């Protein structure tokens, strides 16, 4: 909402009130003085309302209740006094602004003090109550927005911290793999370094954004798996399924899938037996499904499931923060297989 909008709305309301007093009833017998008196009274309404709304009530909501209770009677008395002055000066004789005399009406007779005080007191209470109600709702909404903003900033900071933990964790594992590859098969090292440089560029440039194109994140995963293939022994069978020709509009939080895949390579490989690793990513509209399967090795069982290290633990927290109510995660350790199934609604 623009800053000028409340003033425009309020101006429309006061003009509407002035119009009701001015153009209703028998307007044929009214003299110009009637319109002057009506305008002064409506301006008094507006002044009292705005002083209460913008000057007095903020003291109460800011916790300055002593100043509020000291100034409230002063403001109220000032409004009542203003109304009495208007009634006893320019509005003291209805004959000044009504052309036609009313039978039995003595315009020269002074009004009792109670007649002068009661109307402005009731009107003042109504105006002050309206100002307090509107200011109360505004204060409630502002507090709600401030809390939401604080929570948003807290979550952004927490997610940034989680990302900063995941990225070094991933790079450390990859560098260890490259070290082993350089010793065992040095001819494959240049290609592996090229893949790593592309992955580091993705981490440095794209992962700073809250969302990235899904195609970019899957390309990062494919690079990671290509890097892993360079070091896989012959007893490892790797099968992957990735979507092709993804629309650029589909986005995902960066590096939120890689930990599940990295976990399979870290804890599902051994040279003692045949191992099968399966990675599948499918996309249907704004729904993404990830399935990762790897052998459940006896000497690595404690590293699968809920106790799968920094990367997996942080990814679970990121899912709860960024895709709360928009994902389901199943981690199963059944028989000889560790299985991860993630369903993600990317439109969240």
């Amino acid at each position: 909402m623009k800053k000028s909008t409340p003033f425009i709305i309020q101006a429309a309301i006061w003009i509407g009130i002035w119009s009701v007093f001015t153009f209703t009833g028998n307007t044929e017998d009214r003299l110009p003085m009637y319109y002057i008196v009506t305008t002064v009274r409506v301006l008094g309404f507006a002044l009292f309302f705005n002083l209460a709304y913008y000057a007095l009530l903020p003291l109460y909501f800011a916790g300055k209740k002593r100043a509020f209770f000291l100034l409230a009677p002063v403001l109220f008395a000032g409004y009542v006094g203003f109304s009495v002055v208007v009634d006893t000066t320019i509005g003291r004789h209805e004959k000044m602004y009504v052309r036609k005399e009313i039978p039995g009406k003595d315009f020269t007779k002074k009004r009792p003090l109670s007649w002068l005080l009661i109307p402005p007191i009731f009107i003042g209470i109504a105006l002050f109550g309206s100002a307090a109600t509107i200011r109360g709702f505004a204060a409630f909404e502002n507090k709600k927005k401030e809390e939401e903003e604080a929570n948003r900033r807290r979550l952004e900071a927490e997610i940034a911290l989680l990302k900063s933990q995941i990225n070094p964790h991933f790079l450390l594992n990859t560098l260890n793999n490259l070290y082993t590859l350089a010793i065992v098969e040095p001819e494959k090292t240049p290609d592996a370094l090229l893949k790593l440089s592309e992955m580091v560029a993705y981490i440095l440039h794209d992962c700073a954004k809250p969302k990235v194109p899904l195609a970019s994140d899957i390309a990062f995963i494919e690079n990671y798996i290509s890097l892993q293939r360079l070091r896989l022994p012959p007893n490892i069978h790797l099968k992957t399924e990735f979507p092709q020709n993804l629309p650029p509009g589909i986005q995902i939080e960066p590096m939120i899938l890689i930990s599940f895949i990295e976990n399979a390579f870290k804890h599902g490989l051994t040279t003692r037996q045949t191992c099968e690793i399966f990675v599948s990513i499918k996309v249907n509209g704004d729904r993404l499904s990830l399935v990762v399967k790897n052998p459940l090795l006896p000497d690595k069982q404690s590293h699968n499931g809920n106790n799968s290290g920094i990367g997996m633990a942080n990814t679970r927290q990121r899912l709860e923060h960024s895709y709360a109510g928009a994902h389901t995660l199943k981690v199963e350790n059944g028989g000889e297989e560790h299985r991860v199934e993630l369903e993600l609604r990317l439109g969240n």
Side-chain angles (χ1 to χ4, degrees):
M1 181 182 291
K2 295 181 179 179
K3 291 183 177 180
S4 60
T5 302
F7 298 100
I8 294 173
I9 293 173
Q10 191 177 155
I13 291 173
W14 295 123
I15 292 172
I17 293 173
W18 180 86
S19 300
V20 170
F21 284 113
T22 303
F23 300 113
T24 57
N26 186 5
T27 60
E28 295 180 358
D29 298 325
R30 291 174 182 167
L31 297 174
M33 181 59 70
Y34 175 87
Y35 300 102
I36 295 174
V37 173
T38 300
T39 302
V40 171
R41 283 174 174 164
V42 173
L43 288 175
F45 296 164
L47 179 62
F48 176 70
F49 177 90
N50 282 278
L51 286 174
Y53 188 85
Y54 290 105
L56 185 62
L57 288 166
L59 296 175
Y60 180 85
F61 290 106
K64 300 177 181 179
K65 295 184 179 180
R66 179 177 295 180
F68 169 81
F69 287 114
L70 286 173
L71 293 175
V74 175
L75 177 62
F76 197 84
Y79 167 73
V80 173
F82 167 81
S83 299
V84 170
V85 169
V86 171
D87 285 338
T88 55
T89 54
I90 60 174
R92 68 184 182 278
H93 297 307
E94 293 182 27
K95 196 172 182 179
M96 293 176 62
Y97 52 89
V98 178
R99 182 178 290 110
K100 184 178 180 181
E101 293 189 7
I102 302 174
K105 184 82 171 179
D106 184 5
F107 292 112
T108 62
K109 186 178 180 180
K110 292 184 178 181
R111 295 179 182 179
L113 183 61
S114 60
W115 286 26
L116 294 173
L117 294 178
I118 291 176
I121 288 174
F122 277 105
I123 293 173
I125 292 173
L127 290 172
F128 188 84
S130 300
T133 301
I134 297 171
R135 172 59 76 173
F137 278 117
F140 175 78
E141 288 297 324
N142 288 338
K143 185 177 181 181
K144 185 178 178 182
K145 288 180 181 179
E146 289 174 0
E147 290 177 352
E148 289 176 352
E149 179 67 14
N151 288 334
R152 184 184 67 80
R153 291 183 180 276
R154 178 180 58 79
L155 291 179
E156 286 180 354
E158 188 171 346
I159 289 173
L161 176 61
L162 295 176
K163 286 181 180 180
S164 70
Q165 292 175 334
I166 289 175
N167 295 347
H169 176 244
F170 164 76
L171 290 175
L172 178 62
N173 289 343
T174 304
L175 289 172
N176 287 336
N177 294 340
L178 282 176
Y179 176 76
T180 303
L181 184 67
I183 295 175
V184 178
E185 298 179 277
E187 69 280 2
K188 295 182 180 180
T189 304
D191 187 26
L193 287 173
L194 179 61
K195 295 290 184 184
L196 179 60
S197 68
E198 293 175 356
M199 295 164 69
V200 170
Y202 175 81
I203 292 173
L204 292 178
H205 299 295
D206 291 347
C207 287
K209 305 172 185 176
K211 295 288 182 67
V212 297
L214 179 59
S216 299
D217 203 66
I218 290 179
F220 172 82
I221 292 172
E222 289 180 312
N223 275 344
Y224 172 81
I225 291 177
S226 296
L227 187 60
Q228 293 293 336
R229 285 184 188 274
L230 296 175
R231 73 178 186 93
L232 292 180
N235 66 303
I236 305 299
H237 301 288
L238 175 61
K239 182 181 179 181
T240 60
E241 295 178 354
F242 295 113
Q244 302 297 322
N245 301 320
L246 286 169
I250 302 179
Q251 294 192 321
I252 190 172
E253 184 166 329
M255 293 192 72
I256 206 163
L257 303 177
I258 187 64
S259 292
F260 300 108
I261 299 167
E262 182 188 12
N263 188 68
F265 283 99
K266 183 178 180 181
H267 303 300
L269 300 181
T270 182
T271 56
R272 301 174 189 172
Q273 65 184 63
T274 300
C275 298
E276 294 183 359
I277 293 180
F278 175 73
V279 178
S280 171
I281 298 178
K282 295 181 180 180
V283 178
N284 184 12
D286 66 343
R287 304 275 177 167
L288 178 145
S289 62
L290 169 71
V291 177
V292 181
K293 296 188 289 186
N294 62 271
L296 190 61
L297 303 176
D299 58 335
K300 297 184 179 182
Q301 288 188 19
S302 62
H303 295 286
N304 288 286
N306 293 329
N307 300 316
S308 31
I310 294 175
M312 284 282 284
N314 285 349
T315 299
R316 286 174 179 272
Q317 293 182 50
R318 292 175 63 197
L319 284 170
E320 289 299 325
H321 287 323
S322 302
Y323 294 96
H327 80 281
T328 57
L329 175 63
K330 295 181 181 178
V331 180
E332 299 177 351
N333 295 315
E336 299 179 352
E337 182 182 76
H338 176 70
R339 181 185 181 93
V340 174
E341 294 182 6
L342 173 65
E343 297 285 337
L344 205 60
R345 189 170 74 248
L346 299 174
N348 186 41

